[in-house]
């Protein structure tokens, strides 16, 4: 148990080596933790609103945050120094992720856009426009050639990074809160307010499987590193581990309140 917060934790991320963990909170901070001991190692301050999303760079040297203060920020993981601020969104920034090579950053916002930035300079490279409501979640494909955005307009859109063109639109019956690519890039996973998580073919856009069983909104989805399992976190205060092959629920983890974010450690254990 990682203790010390006085407000909700909105996001978690493991370091690439699995030894450290980041958490972002409604208290406007992010914290770095030792996974083994549970010790708080560092607190990053600078955001002026809730920290909604956290991520490590692929080499673990930097951390990325997205906040309801309309900005995303890049930090030095070791020193806590603020390196870059990604400014330009006109509303809350809900999600921020690194490209697989760490050179670009993708953000999603309540201004209905996703934006691609140069990670080092903070320069805006591209804007993905087309959603009719908030962009709640963003993800890069493993090869960095595509991005996926999930929106309150009840769709997820797959985009070509180079051209900025939309390739496929995937539909839910209600808000899409979370999106993820499998490690081989062949499948994508979406979770929404319709209480379902859906597995899709990333090439054709066909629905492959629906994971049903939650009693409230699905707020977070993740693939295991080997792609054989998926994890869903829900407002029903449970996280469920599912088999990708069968669609069966393998294990249910419960806590007292909403599970806002669910993630696998790098080794999948």
């Amino acid at each position: 148990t990682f203790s010390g917060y006085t407000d909700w934790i909105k996001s978690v991320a493991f370091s690439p080596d699995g030894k450290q963990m980041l958490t972002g909170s409604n208290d406007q901070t992010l914290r770095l933790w030792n996974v083994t001991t549970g010790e708080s190692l560092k607190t990053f301050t600078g955001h002026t609103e809730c920290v909604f999303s956290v991520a490590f760079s692929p080499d673990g040297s930097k951390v990325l945050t997205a906040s309801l203060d309309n900005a995303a920020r890049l930090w030095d993981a070791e020193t806590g120094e603020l390196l870059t601020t990604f400014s330009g969104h006109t509303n809350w920034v809900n999600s921020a992720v690194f490209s697989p090579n760490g050179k670009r950053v993708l953000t999603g916002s309540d201004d209905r856009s996703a934006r691609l930035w140069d990670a080092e300079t903070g320069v805006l490279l591209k804007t993905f426009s087309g959603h009719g409501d908030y962009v709640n979640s963003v993800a890069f494909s493993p090869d960095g050639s595509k991005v996926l955005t999930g929106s309150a307009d009840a769709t997820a859109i797959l985009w070509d990074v180079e051209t900025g063109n939309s390739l496929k639109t995937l539909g839910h019956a209600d808000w899409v809160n979370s999106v993820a690519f499998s490690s081989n890039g062949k499948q994508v996973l979406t979770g929404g307010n319709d209480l379902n998580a859906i597995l899709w073919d990333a090439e054709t856009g066909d629905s492959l499987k629906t994971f049903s069983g939650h009693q409230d909104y699905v707020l977070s989805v993740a693939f295991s590193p080997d792609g054989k399992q998926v994890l869903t976190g829900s407002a029903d205060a449970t996280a469920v581990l599912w088999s990708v092959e069968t669609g069966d629920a393998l294990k249910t983890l419960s806590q007292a309140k909403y599970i806002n974010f669910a993630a696998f450690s790098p080794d999948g254990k």
Side-chain angles (χ1 to χ4, degrees), residues 23-267:
T23 54
S25 169
N26 274 10
D27 71 2
Q28 305 175 10
T29 70
L30 61 150
R31 297 191 190 189
L32 184 67
W33 306 82
N34 181 299
V35 169
T36 302
T37 66
E39 177 189 2
S40 178
L41 304 175
K42 190 178 273 74
T43 299
F44 301 75
T45 59
H47 281 294
T48 58
E49 293 288 349
C50 165
V51 178
F52 225 61
S53 175
V54 297
F56 274 97
S57 62
D59 65 2
S61 68
K62 299 177 181 68
V63 298
L64 179 65
T65 56
S67 171
L68 305 194
D69 62 11
N70 298 2
R73 299 176 193 257
L74 184 69
W75 315 76
D76 185 289
E78 184 175 352
T79 67
E81 178 188 359
L82 176 63
L83 302 174
T84 308
T85 299
F86 304 95
S87 300
H89 281 294
T90 58
N91 210 328
W92 297 355
V93 183
N94 299 311
S95 181
V97 295
F98 283 98
S99 62
N101 64 9
K103 294 182 178 181
R104 294 179 177 183
V105 163
L106 181 68
T107 56
S109 169
D110 272 12
D111 66 10
R112 305 183 180 188
S113 75
R115 302 190 183 198
L116 185 70
W117 313 80
D118 184 288
E120 184 175 355
T121 65
V123 171
L124 177 64
L125 303 175
K126 194 174 269 90
T127 300
F128 302 93
S129 299
H131 279 296
D133 211 329
Y134 312 145
V135 177
N136 296 321
S137 181
V138 296
F140 267 101
S141 63
D143 65 2
S145 67
K146 300 179 182 67
V147 297
L148 183 64
T149 56
S151 171
D153 67 7
T155 70
I157 299 179
L158 192 67
W159 310 80
D160 183 281
V161 169
E162 188 65 30
T163 66
N165 294 333
S166 62
L167 303 174
K168 298 290 178 184
T169 299
L170 316 174
H172 271 257
D174 206 333
W175 284 31
V176 177
N177 296 314
S178 184
V179 298
F181 274 95
S182 62
S183 57
N184 63 10
K186 294 182 178 180
Q187 298 173 331
V188 298
L189 184 65
T190 56
N193 281 6
D194 57 9
L195 315 189
N196 295 320
I198 302 177
L199 184 71
W200 310 82
D201 185 295
E203 185 67 29
T204 66
D206 292 337
S207 172
L208 302 175
K209 198 171 268 93
T210 298
F211 303 95
S212 299
H214 282 295
Q215 302 303 307
D216 208 332
Y217 305 152
V218 176
L219 301 175
S220 180
V221 298
F223 277 98
S224 62
D226 63 7
K228 294 181 179 180
Q229 298 172 337
V230 298
L231 183 64
T232 55
S234 171
D236 67 8
T238 70
V240 179
L241 187 68
W242 310 81
S243 166
V244 168
E245 183 178 0
T246 67
D248 293 337
L250 304 175
K251 189 170 295 183
T252 299
L253 312 173
S254 300
Q255 65 178 41
K257 292 187 177 182
Y258 284 16
I259 295 180
N260 293 306
F261 203 89
F264 281 94
S265 60
D267 62 7

